[in-house]
């Protein structure tokens, strides 16, 4: 029997980091977003020696700043990208039913139609039939066309003026950060050396081109030369910057665009469904989406020329989203003071070819992906969308495997990620599993809402968190009142999810950064002190203070628009 992989822990990160310079890897994957993490998993499952390095935390960039949707891409029907919709629909079904049912959940959408609007009732109905057909009529449920009276019953606070009817259809919601984290953990469990907070600062070359990278540990400042037969650039919006590091003459391939979302209390909006609509400002397709006790609105789609690390929601972005949401829910009268938090991500879209697509708006730019070799010898992947991440990862892994087979006398094995559940995916039906975890949490006296959160965040690992609470009931206390996050999750994040900084913990593991009005600052010191005592962390007083300063700055960058300061509390 194969021994289980060691825990995906901070301590394991230290071991992986120490191994980077000790051998020549088959593939070095640069970038720990969804595509890089999934590619590393795919390659490692083929029996290859794989190292993955990420300059920040897993999913710290675009992969945790999305619209949190796994969807077929209804709006891509307008641009006749039927192949993309078909592929995305198949991946949505696979994630819901097998790969990650704890992270991906059915979400009902309403697409209302208004008199004089750009999409008429019959045109929308035809589009819905096509959408169902491209999913081979195997979506969560078939669409329904609702008359205005039924729409009013379903969404009583939706704009009524000129309402003709709506389409009710299904896509899915996802915890994007945790989906990425599950893939990174899957890579680790398949044997890859997975190292976050490790940045590529240069490349190693031989007569054949790029043969590795110089990697700087962002935690201790040390550098190491990592040699590899293939180097894969999966850095999303940093793709062109990394390509220029390998070859200063590399021509840009990306057209980066910024997507901004705002989070507000659900009670202020009152939406019961996800709402698809066209913004009255510029006509682009947008969403008003439920997220537990919250509603978030997005997204913008504007060209972006700055550093992806510095992408932020600006007052104009927030005003645009508020205006758009208020047009659909006029009684909400949302203002800047209602905004709990914001997030902004940079999409690594491919720029249009010189012979096609010139003058396209940002939102009309294709979401297709491309895989290519640079003259430097760097293998690159960019473009695409979250929903089809697994297919993208498989395709780029195929390209890397073909190179290893042809030029390096390495024979990769076979891996099928299409039917291999991600770590944490429960083996029993989702509804039964969630009910069991909710019941176990209630029996411990910590609340069914905590159980629901644990089931959705950790899947089968929720039982380990509950076991820790059973051994020490104080660990079942809520970190911040009104939120389902409990103290047992702090140690779990370090010992089983490779959380290395306070930002890692509060932004991408617990999400208090977005959901608490103060971003979790009221509990930040206690969290940092507790986290700092864990193996693989070991913070002294000075480092605790440094973590707190950095985290406070991050919180303040996502709050306080229009003179409103939501960071106190």
């Amino acid at each position: 029997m194969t021994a289980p992989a060691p825990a995906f822990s901070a301590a394991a990160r230290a071991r992986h980091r120490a191994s980077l310079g000790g051998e020549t890897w088959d593939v070095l994957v640069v970038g720990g977003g969804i595509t890089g993490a999934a590619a590393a998993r795919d390659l490692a499952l083929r029996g290859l020696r794989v190292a993955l390095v990420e300059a920040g935390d897993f999913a710290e960039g675009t992969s945790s700043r999305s619209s949190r949707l796994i969807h077929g891409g209804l709006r891509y029907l307008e641009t006749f990208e039927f192949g993309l919709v078909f592929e995305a629909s198949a991946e949505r079904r696979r994630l819901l039913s097998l790969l990650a049912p704890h992270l991906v959940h059915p979400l009902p959408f309403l697409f209302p139609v208004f008199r004089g609007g750009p999409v008429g009732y019959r045109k929308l109905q035809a589009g819905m039939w096509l959408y169902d057909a491209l999913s081979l009529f195997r979506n969560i449920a078939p669409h329904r066309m609702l008359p205005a009276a039924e729409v009013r019953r379903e969404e009583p606070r939706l704009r009524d003026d000129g309402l003709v009817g709506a389409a009710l259809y299904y896509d899915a919601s996802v915890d994007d950060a945790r989906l990425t984290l599950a893939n990174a953990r899957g890579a680790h469990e398949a044997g890859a050396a997975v190292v976050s907070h490790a940045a590529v600062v240069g490349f190693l070359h031989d007569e054949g081109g790029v043969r590795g990278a110089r990697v700087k540990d962002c935690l201790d400042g040390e550098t190491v030369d990592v040699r590899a037969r293939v180097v894969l650039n999966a850095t999303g919006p940093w793709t062109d910057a990394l390509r220029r590091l390998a070859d200063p003459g590399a021509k840009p391939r990306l057209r980066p665009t910024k997507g901004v979302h705002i989070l507000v209390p659900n009670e202020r909006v009152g939406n019961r469904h996800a709402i698809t609509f066209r913004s009255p400002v510029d006509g682009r397709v947008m969403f008003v989406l439920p997220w537990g006790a919250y509603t978030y609105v997005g997204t913008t789609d504007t060209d972006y020329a700055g550093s992806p690390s510095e992408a932020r929601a600006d007052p104009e972005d927030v005003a645009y989203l508020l205006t758009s949401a208020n047009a659909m829910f006029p009684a909400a009268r949302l203002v800047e003071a209602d905004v709990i938090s914001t997030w902004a991500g940079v999409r690594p879209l491919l720029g249009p070819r010189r012979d096609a697509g010139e003058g396209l708006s940002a939102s009309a730019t294709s979401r297709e992906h491309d895989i290519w070799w640079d003259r430097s010898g760097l293998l690159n992947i960019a473009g695409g969308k979250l929903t089809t991440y697994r297919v993208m990862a498989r395709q780029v892994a195929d390209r890397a495997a073909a190179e290893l087979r042809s030029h390096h006398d390495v024979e990769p094995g076979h891996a099928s990620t299409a039917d291999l559940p991600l770590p944490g995916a429960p083996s029993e039906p989702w509804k039964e599993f969630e009910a069991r975890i909710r019941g176990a949490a209630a029996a411990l006296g910590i609340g069914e809402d905590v159980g629901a959160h644990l089931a959705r965040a950790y899947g089968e690992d929720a039982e380990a968190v509950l076991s820790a609470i059973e051994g020490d009931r104080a660990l079942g206390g809520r970190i911040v009142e009104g939120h389902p996050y409990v103290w047992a999750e702090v140690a779990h994040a370090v010992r089983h999810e490779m959380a290395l900084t306070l930002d890692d913990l509060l932004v991408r593991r617990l999400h208090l950064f977005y959901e608490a009005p103060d971003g979790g600052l009221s509990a930040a010191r206690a969290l940092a002190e507790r986290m700092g005592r864990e193996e693989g962390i070991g913070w002294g007083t000075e480092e605790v203070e440094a973590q707190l300063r950095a985290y406070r700055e991050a919180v303040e960058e996502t709050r306080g628009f229009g003179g409103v300061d939501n960071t106190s509390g």
Side-chain angles (χ1 to χ4, degrees):
M1 180 179 291
T2 303
F8 187 56
S9 63
R13 186 265 187 193
R15 294 192 294 272
H16 287 322
R17 157 68 182 81
S19 73
L20 288 179
E23 62 179 283
T24 297
W25 302 88
D26 292 323
V27 184
L28 170 62
V29 180
V30 184
I34 187 65
T35 306
R41 178 179 183 243
D42 189 305
L43 289 159
L45 286 167
R46 298 178 191 221
L48 297 170
R49 295 292 294 152
V50 179
L52 166 66
V53 295
E54 159 57 45
D57 185 23
F58 308 110
E60 186 168 332
T62 305
S63 295
S64 65
R65 306 182 190 198
S66 74
S67 293
R68 302 174 178 173
L69 295 176
I70 296 295
H71 62 123
L74 179 64
R75 74 182 187 86
Y76 304 136
L77 296 179
E78 290 187 310
T79 50
F80 305 105
E81 295 178 274
F82 301 142
L84 181 60
V85 176
F86 179 82
E87 183 177 76
S89 297
E91 289 303 299
R92 177 189 59 202
R93 182 169 62 252
R94 187 172 283 117
L95 283 160
L96 279 164
S97 62
L98 176 65
L99 301 186
H102 59 308
L103 300 175
V104 181
H105 302 280
L107 184 62
F109 280 75
L110 276 179
F111 194 145
V113 177
F114 299 92
R115 281 194 300 273
V119 178
Y121 190 84
R122 295 303 177 194
K123 180 180 179 181
L124 179 60
Q125 186 175 35
M128 284 293 137
W129 278 113
L130 179 57
Y131 199 50
D132 282 352
L134 288 170
S135 70
L136 304 179
F137 297 98
R138 292 164 64 189
N139 199 349
I140 299 150
H143 81 275
R144 292 170 50 212
M145 298 302 295
L146 308 182
E150 191 168 351
V151 177
R152 293 185 189 102
R153 287 194 295 271
E154 293 283 347
E155 287 288 349
R157 297 180 66 177
L158 184 69
R159 170 188 160 192
D160 186 59
D161 181 36
L163 180 65
V164 175
L168 172 65
Y169 67 101
Y170 285 84
D171 270 315
S173 64
V174 66
D175 187 325
D176 51 5
R178 286 197 162 276
L179 184 65
T180 304
L181 187 66
N183 276 275
R185 176 182 158 189
H188 158 84
E189 292 181 356
V194 178
V195 185
S196 59
H197 297 280
V200 168
V201 296
F203 283 97
L204 311 179
H205 300 261
D206 67 10
E207 64 278 2
V210 169
R211 287 295 178 265
R214 180 156 294 164
V215 176
K216 178 181 179 180
D217 189 323
C218 299
L219 301 181
D220 63 19
E222 294 186 5
T223 60
V224 60
D225 286 349
V226 184
R227 303 193 178 279
R229 297 176 177 88
V230 173
V231 180
L232 168 58
N233 175 11
T235 57
W238 288 270
T239 295
D240 283 339
L242 199 74
R243 294 173 61 234
R244 287 192 297 270
L245 189 62
D247 174 9
K251 294 182 180 180
R253 286 293 309 273
L254 299 190
R255 181 183 180 175
T257 70
K258 184 176 74 168
V260 174
H261 296 80
I262 59 173
L263 188 80
V264 300
N266 179 264
E267 63 188 19
R268 296 286 291 114
V269 181
N271 59 304
R272 299 175 180 175
H273 301 72
I275 307 297
T276 305
F277 69 103
R278 288 186 177 272
S279 169
V281 179
D282 58 6
R284 75 175 310 272
V285 174
M286 299 180 59
F287 304 105
V288 172
L289 297 157
W291 187 260
Y294 310 93
T295 288
Y296 61 103
V297 183
T299 175
T300 63
D301 201 357
T302 54
D303 286 311
Y304 183 77
S307 167
S309 303
E310 298 172 0
R312 302 287 184 271
D314 57 38
E316 292 75 21
D317 295 323
V318 174
Y320 168 84
L321 294 171
L322 291 172
T323 298
S324 300
N326 283 332
M328 286 297 103
F329 291 87
R333 297 187 178 90
L334 294 170
V335 296
E336 290 152 342
D338 295 310
V339 177
I340 298 172
S341 64
T342 65
W343 62 91
V346 178
R347 305 176 186 88
L349 304 183
L350 293 164
R353 300 290 187 183
R354 289 174 179 263
D355 59 347
E358 295 270 350
L360 280 177
S361 69
S363 60
T365 303
S366 175
R367 268 54 176 174
E368 295 282 2
H369 67 277
D370 194 14
I371 299 167
W372 73 97
W373 292 93
D374 278 338
R375 64 182 182 183
S376 66
L378 192 65
L379 177 60
N380 305 275
I381 182 168
K385 56 201 293 283
L386 177 64
T387 304
T388 55
Y389 82 87
R390 191 199 61 81
V391 175
M392 294 167 58
R394 184 198 70 214
Q395 291 174 357
V396 77
D398 286 344
R399 293 286 290 274
E403 170 69 11
L404 290 168
R405 188 179 296 112
S406 299
H407 296 100
H408 298 280
D409 197 28
V410 175
E411 187 58 42
H414 174 73
S416 178
T417 56
D419 53 15
L420 182 63
L422 286 165
S427 55
E428 63 190 291
W430 165 250
K431 289 185 178 179
E432 294 176 15
F433 172 79
E434 184 187 31
R436 183 165 61 80
I437 298 300
R438 288 173 70 111
L444 286 171
I446 60 175
E448 285 198 27
D449 63 324
V450 172
H453 153 64
L454 295 178
R456 287 174 173 251
Y458 303 106
E460 288 192 335
D461 293 339
E463 298 189 64
V465 179
L466 290 172
S467 179
I469 296 169
E470 190 172 14
D472 181 355
R473 293 303 178 95
L475 294 176
R478 296 178 190 242
I479 297 170
V480 175
E481 283 304 316
H483 298 269
Y485 309 107
V486 294
W487 289 103
E489 295 177 78
V490 180
H492 187 88
V494 175
R495 299 173 191 175
H496 299 280
E497 297 186 333
M498 208 178 278
L500 300 174
T501 71
L502 190 59
D503 190 85
D504 295 355
L505 176 69
L506 284 167
V507 181
R508 289 165 295 279
R509 308 303 189 279
L510 300 184
H511 302 330
L512 277 168
F513 177 83
Y514 295 114
E515 296 171 4
D518 73 341
L521 286 172
S522 61
R525 180 173 297 280
L527 286 163
E529 290 174 349
R530 186 174 296 221
M531 189 177 178
R533 293 192 291 269
E534 289 290 324
E535 181 186 0
I537 304 294
W539 295 336
T541 302
E542 288 187 8
E543 182 59 28
V544 167
E545 294 299 329
Q547 291 286 326
L548 289 169
R549 283 194 301 272
Y551 185 70
R552 180 176 290 276
E553 289 174 5
V555 170
E556 289 173 351
E557 286 175 345
T558 66
R559 268 85 169 167
F561 292 96
V564 178
D565 183 4
N566 286 331
T567 64
S568 62

